[in-house]
Amino acid sequence: MTTQSDKTVNKEDAKQLLASTDIAVIGGGVVGCAVARRMALEGASVVLIEKGPDILEGASKGNSAILHTGFDAPQGSLEWECVQKGYQEYLDIHKSFNLPLLKTSALIAAWTEEQEEKFPAIMKKGYDNGVTDLSLLSRTEVLKSEPNLGPDLRAAIRVPREYVIDPWSTPLAYLQQAIENGGQALFNAEVTGGAFDGNTWVLNTKRGQVKASYVVNCAGLYGDILDNSALGHSEFTIKPRKGQFVIFDMAASRLLKTIILPVPTERTKGIVLFPTIFGNITVGPTAEDQDGRDDASVDEDNLKALHTQAIEKIPALANIPITATYAGIRPATEKKEYQIVEDSDRNWITLGGIRSTGLTSALGLARHVHDLLQQQGAQFKALKSPSIPMLPNLAEHLPRDYETPGYGEIVCHCEMVTKREIDAVMEGPIPAGSLGGLKRRTRVTMGRCQGFYCSARLAEITQGKLSEPLGVEDE
Amino acid sequence: MNNTLKRDNCDVAIIGAGPAGLAAATALKKAGIESVVVLEREAEAGGIPRHCAHPPYGIREFKRILSGPSYAKKLVDEARNSGVFIALRSTVTKLEQGGHLTISSPEGMKELTAKRVIIATGIRETPRSARLVSGDRAMGICNTGTLQSMFYLKEMIPFRRPAIIGTEIVSFSALSTCKKAGIQPVAMIEEAQQPTIRWPIYHAARLFGVPLFVNTRVAKILGKDRVSAIQVADTNQTIREIPCDGVLFTGQFTPESTLARMSHLELDFRTGSPVVDSFGRCSDPTYFAAGNVLQSTNKPMHVPFYYKQDNLPQSVDVAGTCWHEGKVTGEWIANDLLSQQPSPPEKDK
């Protein structure tokens, strides 16, 4: 159980023992949350250690929310395998968590002759990857289902089982299940180093120490730094790659129902136009290599370029206002493949370089971690009937909270977020630790006015509860 | 007072209890229309003037100089005394053909059918994101509306040393709110050669000791958790860093017209307002629009040179103008409903 007091740092307690556990998961991104859930379900005691005030404060806050089939994953790779397993497990479990699934399908669109020439290779790769339901559509066929696509469209490959999911409720559900089944989460607890005595790890965090039999490094953008500080070396180097996005107003939702994928290049999946689970249309991401691991700034030139590209693909978007812009940072490495590194002598596993497919592959990766731990000799007794948390629905295509009486008041009018939803989050098992965390759990202030109308009320409701408050203290 | 909507039909439904909506409602009742319902999504009626605590309001309507909140209260009282029903915490979620409205309220979802509907949902400033401003997304970035509602309604402030972006009338209002709240702005930034509203800005900026930078634009916002500085660029692209703990984006008003945008009504994409004829009637003649939600490219307004013709900034009408427009629209609808005349002439195509 996480409480508000867990989220305040007390520097004097750095030597205090915070927890003793079977598994320490370092990093509260989607991968860390999924690993914590899997190991809790397998019967291990689990502590998730996060340096930020909330989960999803790093790479995972900026993912593009697509449930991938793995049609273009590197052949025979672990990534492909984890995407397959993760995809299937999400389909198996999402209803029981009340997590949404928007069955959009995807179109790999060719806008030039050159792109169209790559279609046979993409079809073959998809087939070899077990995605056998791809089909080739002519321009006329595409326009039947997506009449708003622009004049340059030549043809497309339809990928029927690529879907859109809720990028933030999903990892939250994973961690919440871990916690409901005995797990623990520590926030504001950056791991600064650790020592292994042949049996047990003692991890030093900014809040105190954690003893663990096994450690899983899911530190994402900081994975190599953590390996260096705890193991003395890292098998890879994180090369942060920024992706910026532009989000169009909900009125755009009538213009597109399908995910529009580009013909991928070696380096990146390219710029995608996709409906979000919240009823918007988003374009992005850019792919910009940079040094900074926490520089998620946006820049006007790239945002304008994205906007222009979106309008080239869907001309009617020119009439739709922009709601928001944001940037995420992918933890790319010098290599293309996932970097799964095991130090079995020291009971340590590192999951590194998990890029854009991470949201889909996380559940598969978590199973892989369990397999590796078993091979290392770890033995746990899986829970017979684990508790399953029900997540509040934030998806626009399903009934929202404001449609049910008794919500008190609507706080955020653009996204129709109720006081009841905000209260539930602030009093829930993993209360939001930052405004970002509250946005990701409720959609509050994420709409077209970006807080013009509701920030005052929100500042009042959240006073004293967020790491960085909306209202500054009086001097 | 009972603010809960119980009925499922009425003569005229008005969306928004600001100056335009309240004036229309009062005019309709005074003209003898039986059931007039104003649907307001906030817990309190009155609209934006509720949190503009500075005068002058009410010269045109009440022949007196009032502060925003007293003006709002007078409008609300006048409407209620005329027999207008104001439903609070009632958010219209959908407009459909023939005056059919879907409403969310804490008591549950409701439906209301009105012979005529007036959209009076007002206007808001353009936030940072839609301006595509570069930099970090830190705390302390907001619009004037947020600053004023935070300070006047909740006695809180979003920053202490902000940079103010823009020099419109509202920027002047922002300066005076800062003064009242004990906030010391570090700079006023204007991209044009001259402030949009000249004399009060020069005067106020000097009075409040706020340096005014013209020919200057925001190049980047810096700050990890909270804003720490902005970088501004002059016309030679020389970058200068100004330490601050917030950025206040003022003006660049845009109609709050998403309800219309999401509905069957035609929208003027240049202004973002519903398309209306000379009577304020929308493409579905059951619907009208009045007040600031209705921006017209024909209205005289000051246009800074840096705007392109297809991306004009919106002039914001002062409350008195909105009030007048609401009143005229209300009177016109009352006439139309009461006279047994055939419907007004078909809209010009």
mmCIF file with all atom_site columns, all heavy atoms in Angstrom, chain A residues 81-95:
data_model
loop_
_atom_site.group_PDB
_atom_site.id
_atom_site.type_symbol
_atom_site.label_atom_id
_atom_site.label_alt_id
_atom_site.label_comp_id
_atom_site.label_asym_id
_atom_site.label_entity_id
_atom_site.label_seq_id
_atom_site.pdbx_PDB_ins_code
_atom_site.Cartn_x
_atom_site.Cartn_y
_atom_site.Cartn_z
_atom_site.occupancy
_atom_site.B_iso_or_equiv
_atom_site.pdbx_formal_charge
_atom_site.auth_seq_id
_atom_site.auth_comp_id
_atom_site.auth_asym_id
_atom_site.auth_atom_id
_atom_site.pdbx_PDB_model_num
ATOM 1   N N   . GLU A 1 81 ? 9.079   -12.089 -30.020 1.00 0.00 ? 81 GLU A N   1
ATOM 2   C CA  . GLU A 1 81 ? 8.449   -13.079 -29.143 1.00 0.00 ? 81 GLU A CA  1
ATOM 3   C C   . GLU A 1 81 ? 7.665   -12.385 -28.024 1.00 0.00 ? 81 GLU A C   1
ATOM 4   O O   . GLU A 1 81 ? 6.531   -12.763 -27.711 1.00 0.00 ? 81 GLU A O   1
ATOM 5   C CB  . GLU A 1 81 ? 9.557   -13.962 -28.547 1.00 0.00 ? 81 GLU A CB  1
ATOM 6   C CG  . GLU A 1 81 ? 9.057   -15.220 -27.902 1.00 0.00 ? 81 GLU A CG  1
ATOM 7   C CD  . GLU A 1 81 ? 10.191  -15.944 -27.168 1.00 0.00 ? 81 GLU A CD  1
ATOM 8   O OE1 . GLU A 1 81 ? 11.283  -16.073 -27.764 1.00 0.00 ? 81 GLU A OE1 1
ATOM 9   O OE2 . GLU A 1 81 ? 9.975   -16.338 -26.013 1.00 0.00 ? 81 GLU A OE2 1
ATOM 10  N N   . CYS A 1 82 ? 8.269   -11.356 -27.418 1.00 0.00 ? 82 CYS A N   1
ATOM 11  C CA  . CYS A 1 82 ? 7.604   -10.663 -26.310 1.00 0.00 ? 82 CYS A CA  1
ATOM 12  C C   . CYS A 1 82 ? 6.403   -9.850  -26.789 1.00 0.00 ? 82 CYS A C   1
ATOM 13  O O   . CYS A 1 82 ? 5.401   -9.747  -26.088 1.00 0.00 ? 82 CYS A O   1
ATOM 14  C CB  . CYS A 1 82 ? 8.599   -9.767  -25.575 1.00 0.00 ? 82 CYS A CB  1
ATOM 15  S SG  . CYS A 1 82 ? 9.821   -10.711 -24.655 1.00 0.00 ? 82 CYS A SG  1
ATOM 16  N N   . VAL A 1 83 ? 6.502   -9.307  -27.997 1.00 0.00 ? 83 VAL A N   1
ATOM 17  C CA  . VAL A 1 83 ? 5.356   -8.574  -28.558 1.00 0.00 ? 83 VAL A CA  1
ATOM 18  C C   . VAL A 1 83 ? 4.184   -9.549  -28.755 1.00 0.00 ? 83 VAL A C   1
ATOM 19  O O   . VAL A 1 83 ? 3.042   -9.253  -28.390 1.00 0.00 ? 83 VAL A O   1
ATOM 20  C CB  . VAL A 1 83 ? 5.742   -7.870  -29.887 1.00 0.00 ? 83 VAL A CB  1
ATOM 21  C CG1 . VAL A 1 83 ? 4.503   -7.429  -30.654 1.00 0.00 ? 83 VAL A CG1 1
ATOM 22  C CG2 . VAL A 1 83 ? 6.625   -6.653  -29.608 1.00 0.00 ? 83 VAL A CG2 1
ATOM 23  N N   . GLN A 1 84 ? 4.493   -10.720 -29.315 1.00 0.00 ? 84 GLN A N   1
ATOM 24  C CA  . GLN A 1 84 ? 3.447   -11.730 -29.530 1.00 0.00 ? 84 GLN A CA  1
ATOM 25  C C   . GLN A 1 84 ? 2.757   -12.101 -28.210 1.00 0.00 ? 84 GLN A C   1
ATOM 26  O O   . GLN A 1 84 ? 1.545   -12.111 -28.099 1.00 0.00 ? 84 GLN A O   1
ATOM 27  C CB  . GLN A 1 84 ? 4.046   -13.018 -30.124 1.00 0.00 ? 84 GLN A CB  1
ATOM 28  C CG  . GLN A 1 84 ? 4.691   -12.848 -31.472 1.00 0.00 ? 84 GLN A CG  1
ATOM 29  C CD  . GLN A 1 84 ? 3.670   -12.595 -32.569 1.00 0.00 ? 84 GLN A CD  1
ATOM 30  O OE1 . GLN A 1 84 ? 2.713   -13.325 -32.702 1.00 0.00 ? 84 GLN A OE1 1
ATOM 31  N NE2 . GLN A 1 84 ? 3.874   -11.526 -33.321 1.00 0.00 ? 84 GLN A NE2 1
ATOM 32  N N   . LYS A 1 85 ? 3.613   -12.421 -27.219 1.00 0.00 ? 85 LYS A N   1
ATOM 33  C CA  . LYS A 1 85 ? 3.068   -12.870 -25.929 1.00 0.00 ? 85 LYS A CA  1
ATOM 34  C C   . LYS A 1 85 ? 2.334   -11.739 -25.219 1.00 0.00 ? 85 LYS A C   1
ATOM 35  O O   . LYS A 1 85 ? 1.286   -11.944 -24.618 1.00 0.00 ? 85 LYS A O   1
ATOM 36  C CB  . LYS A 1 85 ? 4.196   -13.382 -25.033 1.00 0.00 ? 85 LYS A CB  1
ATOM 37  C CG  . LYS A 1 85 ? 4.695   -14.744 -25.441 1.00 0.00 ? 85 LYS A CG  1
ATOM 38  C CD  . LYS A 1 85 ? 5.718   -15.229 -24.434 1.00 0.00 ? 85 LYS A CD  1
ATOM 39  C CE  . LYS A 1 85 ? 6.277   -16.581 -24.860 1.00 0.00 ? 85 LYS A CE  1
ATOM 40  N NZ  . LYS A 1 85 ? 7.545   -16.870 -24.178 1.00 0.00 ? 85 LYS A NZ  1
ATOM 41  N N   . GLY A 1 86 ? 2.921   -10.542 -25.282 1.00 0.00 ? 86 GLY A N   1
ATOM 42  C CA  . GLY A 1 86 ? 2.318   -9.387  -24.626 1.00 0.00 ? 86 GLY A CA  1
ATOM 43  C C   . GLY A 1 86 ? 0.980   -9.037  -25.238 1.00 0.00 ? 86 GLY A C   1
ATOM 44  O O   . GLY A 1 86 ? 0.010   -8.737  -24.547 1.00 0.00 ? 86 GLY A O   1
ATOM 45  N N   . TYR A 1 87 ? 0.945   -9.101  -26.569 1.00 0.00 ? 87 TYR A N   1
ATOM 46  C CA  . TYR A 1 87 ? -0.289  -8.790  -27.301 1.00 0.00 ? 87 TYR A CA  1
ATOM 47  C C   . TYR A 1 87 ? -1.410  -9.734  -26.851 1.00 0.00 ? 87 TYR A C   1
ATOM 48  O O   . TYR A 1 87 ? -2.511  -9.301  -26.501 1.00 0.00 ? 87 TYR A O   1
ATOM 49  C CB  . TYR A 1 87 ? -0.007  -8.952  -28.798 1.00 0.00 ? 87 TYR A CB  1
ATOM 50  C CG  . TYR A 1 87 ? -1.168  -8.636  -29.709 1.00 0.00 ? 87 TYR A CG  1
ATOM 51  C CD1 . TYR A 1 87 ? -1.269  -7.391  -30.315 1.00 0.00 ? 87 TYR A CD1 1
ATOM 52  C CD2 . TYR A 1 87 ? -2.155  -9.587  -29.988 1.00 0.00 ? 87 TYR A CD2 1
ATOM 53  C CE1 . TYR A 1 87 ? -2.325  -7.084  -31.160 1.00 0.00 ? 87 TYR A CE1 1
ATOM 54  C CE2 . TYR A 1 87 ? -3.216  -9.290  -30.827 1.00 0.00 ? 87 TYR A CE2 1
ATOM 55  C CZ  . TYR A 1 87 ? -3.297  -8.044  -31.411 1.00 0.00 ? 87 TYR A CZ  1
ATOM 56  O OH  . TYR A 1 87 ? -4.348  -7.754  -32.244 1.00 0.00 ? 87 TYR A OH  1
ATOM 57  N N   . GLN A 1 88 ? -1.086  -11.019 -26.848 1.00 0.00 ? 88 GLN A N   1
ATOM 58  C CA  . GLN A 1 88 ? -2.104  -12.021 -26.502 1.00 0.00 ? 88 GLN A CA  1
ATOM 59  C C   . GLN A 1 88 ? -2.559  -11.873 -25.056 1.00 0.00 ? 88 GLN A C   1
ATOM 60  O O   . GLN A 1 88 ? -3.750  -11.928 -24.751 1.00 0.00 ? 88 GLN A O   1
ATOM 61  C CB  . GLN A 1 88 ? -1.568  -13.439 -26.770 1.00 0.00 ? 88 GLN A CB  1
ATOM 62  C CG  . GLN A 1 88 ? -2.643  -14.503 -26.724 1.00 0.00 ? 88 GLN A CG  1
ATOM 63  C CD  . GLN A 1 88 ? -3.842  -14.172 -27.625 1.00 0.00 ? 88 GLN A CD  1
ATOM 64  O OE1 . GLN A 1 88 ? -3.687  -13.835 -28.797 1.00 0.00 ? 88 GLN A OE1 1
ATOM 65  N NE2 . GLN A 1 88 ? -5.060  -14.207 -27.053 1.00 0.00 ? 88 GLN A NE2 1
ATOM 66  N N   . GLU A 1 89 ? -1.595  -11.643 -24.167 1.00 0.00 ? 89 GLU A N   1
ATOM 67  C CA  . GLU A 1 89 ? -1.983  -11.542 -22.749 1.00 0.00 ? 89 GLU A CA  1
ATOM 68  C C   . GLU A 1 89 ? -2.854  -10.312 -22.522 1.00 0.00 ? 89 GLU A C   1
ATOM 69  O O   . GLU A 1 89 ? -3.812  -10.354 -21.748 1.00 0.00 ? 89 GLU A O   1
ATOM 70  C CB  . GLU A 1 89 ? -0.743  -11.497 -21.833 1.00 0.00 ? 89 GLU A CB  1
ATOM 71  C CG  . GLU A 1 89 ? -1.135  -11.593 -20.358 1.00 0.00 ? 89 GLU A CG  1
ATOM 72  C CD  . GLU A 1 89 ? 0.053   -11.788 -19.418 1.00 0.00 ? 89 GLU A CD  1
ATOM 73  O OE1 . GLU A 1 89 ? 1.174   -12.042 -19.890 1.00 0.00 ? 89 GLU A OE1 1
ATOM 74  O OE2 . GLU A 1 89 ? -0.170  -11.690 -18.183 1.00 0.00 ? 89 GLU A OE2 1
ATOM 75  N N   . TYR A 1 90 ? -2.541  -9.198  -23.222 1.00 0.00 ? 90 TYR A N   1
ATOM 76  C CA  . TYR A 1 90 ? -3.389  -8.009  -23.058 1.00 0.00 ? 90 TYR A CA  1
ATOM 77  C C   . TYR A 1 90 ? -4.823  -8.326  -23.477 1.00 0.00 ? 90 TYR A C   1
ATOM 78  O O   . TYR A 1 90 ? -5.781  -7.979  -22.786 1.00 0.00 ? 90 TYR A O   1
ATOM 79  C CB  . TYR A 1 90 ? -2.856  -6.801  -23.855 1.00 0.00 ? 90 TYR A CB  1
ATOM 80  C CG  . TYR A 1 90 ? -3.700  -5.568  -23.587 1.00 0.00 ? 90 TYR A CG  1
ATOM 81  C CD1 . TYR A 1 90 ? -3.479  -4.778  -22.457 1.00 0.00 ? 90 TYR A CD1 1
ATOM 82  C CD2 . TYR A 1 90 ? -4.788  -5.248  -24.405 1.00 0.00 ? 90 TYR A CD2 1
ATOM 83  C CE1 . TYR A 1 90 ? -4.297  -3.687  -22.164 1.00 0.00 ? 90 TYR A CE1 1
ATOM 84  C CE2 . TYR A 1 90 ? -5.610  -4.158  -24.115 1.00 0.00 ? 90 TYR A CE2 1
ATOM 85  C CZ  . TYR A 1 90 ? -5.358  -3.394  -22.997 1.00 0.00 ? 90 TYR A CZ  1
ATOM 86  O OH  . TYR A 1 90 ? -6.182  -2.334  -22.695 1.00 0.00 ? 90 TYR A OH  1
ATOM 87  N N   . LEU A 1 91 ? -4.965  -9.011  -24.626 1.00 0.00 ? 91 LEU A N   1
ATOM 88  C CA  . LEU A 1 91 ? -6.316  -9.360  -25.088 1.00 0.00 ? 91 LEU A CA  1
ATOM 89  C C   . LEU A 1 91 ? -7.017  -10.255 -24.071 1.00 0.00 ? 91 LEU A C   1
ATOM 90  O O   . LEU A 1 91 ? -8.217  -10.127 -23.843 1.00 0.00 ? 91 LEU A O   1
ATOM 91  C CB  . LEU A 1 91 ? -6.261  -10.070 -26.445 1.00 0.00 ? 91 LEU A CB  1
ATOM 92  C CG  . LEU A 1 91 ? -5.850  -9.228  -27.650 1.00 0.00 ? 91 LEU A CG  1
ATOM 93  C CD1 . LEU A 1 91 ? -6.084  -10.001 -28.939 1.00 0.00 ? 91 LEU A CD1 1
ATOM 94  C CD2 . LEU A 1 91 ? -6.602  -7.902  -27.708 1.00 0.00 ? 91 LEU A CD2 1
ATOM 95  N N   . ASP A 1 92 ? -6.242  -11.147 -23.443 1.00 0.00 ? 92 ASP A N   1
ATOM 96  C CA  . ASP A 1 92 ? -6.833  -12.072 -22.458 1.00 0.00 ? 92 ASP A CA  1
ATOM 97  C C   . ASP A 1 92 ? -7.297  -11.352 -21.197 1.00 0.00 ? 92 ASP A C   1
ATOM 98  O O   . ASP A 1 92 ? -8.306  -11.742 -20.615 1.00 0.00 ? 92 ASP A O   1
ATOM 99  C CB  . ASP A 1 92 ? -5.817  -13.158 -22.070 1.00 0.00 ? 92 ASP A CB  1
ATOM 100 C CG  . ASP A 1 92 ? -5.503  -14.080 -23.231 1.00 0.00 ? 92 ASP A CG  1
ATOM 101 O OD1 . ASP A 1 92 ? -6.292  -14.096 -24.208 1.00 0.00 ? 92 ASP A OD1 1
ATOM 102 O OD2 . ASP A 1 92 ? -4.464  -14.775 -23.185 1.00 0.00 ? 92 ASP A OD2 1
ATOM 103 N N   . ILE A 1 93 ? -6.553  -10.356 -20.764 1.00 0.00 ? 93 ILE A N   1
ATOM 104 C CA  . ILE A 1 93 ? -6.834  -9.797  -19.432 1.00 0.00 ? 93 ILE A CA  1
ATOM 105 C C   . ILE A 1 93 ? -7.551  -8.454  -19.432 1.00 0.00 ? 93 ILE A C   1
ATOM 106 O O   . ILE A 1 93 ? -8.084  -8.035  -18.412 1.00 0.00 ? 93 ILE A O   1
ATOM 107 C CB  . ILE A 1 93 ? -5.540  -9.638  -18.583 1.00 0.00 ? 93 ILE A CB  1
ATOM 108 C CG1 . ILE A 1 93 ? -4.604  -8.585  -19.195 1.00 0.00 ? 93 ILE A CG1 1
ATOM 109 C CG2 . ILE A 1 93 ? -4.837  -10.975 -18.393 1.00 0.00 ? 93 ILE A CG2 1
ATOM 110 C CD1 . ILE A 1 93 ? -3.421  -8.213  -18.295 1.00 0.00 ? 93 ILE A CD1 1
ATOM 111 N N   . HIS A 1 94 ? -7.579  -7.741  -20.566 1.00 0.00 ? 94 HIS A N   1
ATOM 112 C CA  . HIS A 1 94 ? -8.000  -6.330  -20.482 1.00 0.00 ? 94 HIS A CA  1
ATOM 113 C C   . HIS A 1 94 ? -9.406  -6.148  -19.945 1.00 0.00 ? 94 HIS A C   1
ATOM 114 O O   . HIS A 1 94 ? -9.684  -5.216  -19.198 1.00 0.00 ? 94 HIS A O   1
ATOM 115 C CB  . HIS A 1 94 ? -7.809  -5.625  -21.836 1.00 0.00 ? 94 HIS A CB  1
ATOM 116 C CG  . HIS A 1 94 ? -8.853  -5.900  -22.862 1.00 0.00 ? 94 HIS A CG  1
ATOM 117 N ND1 . HIS A 1 94 ? -9.936  -5.083  -23.045 1.00 0.00 ? 94 HIS A ND1 1
ATOM 118 C CD2 . HIS A 1 94 ? -8.991  -6.924  -23.746 1.00 0.00 ? 94 HIS A CD2 1
ATOM 119 C CE1 . HIS A 1 94 ? -10.684 -5.567  -24.021 1.00 0.00 ? 94 HIS A CE1 1
ATOM 120 N NE2 . HIS A 1 94 ? -10.132 -6.685  -24.460 1.00 0.00 ? 94 HIS A NE2 1
ATOM 121 N N   . LYS A 1 95 ? -10.315 -7.070  -20.296 1.00 0.00 ? 95 LYS A N   1
ATOM 122 C CA  . LYS A 1 95 ? -11.696 -6.898  -19.842 1.00 0.00 ? 95 LYS A CA  1
ATOM 123 C C   . LYS A 1 95 ? -11.807 -7.020  -18.333 1.00 0.00 ? 95 LYS A C   1
ATOM 124 O O   . LYS A 1 95 ? -12.572 -6.285  -17.695 1.00 0.00 ? 95 LYS A O   1
ATOM 125 C CB  . LYS A 1 95 ? -12.608 -7.923  -20.528 1.00 0.00 ? 95 LYS A CB  1
ATOM 126 C CG  . LYS A 1 95 ? -12.991 -7.477  -21.927 1.00 0.00 ? 95 LYS A CG  1
ATOM 127 C CD  . LYS A 1 95 ? -14.059 -8.352  -22.540 1.00 0.00 ? 95 LYS A CD  1
ATOM 128 C CE  . LYS A 1 95 ? -14.276 -7.949  -23.983 1.00 0.00 ? 95 LYS A CE  1
ATOM 129 N NZ  . LYS A 1 95 ? -14.561 -9.111  -24.845 1.00 0.00 ? 95 LYS A NZ  1
#
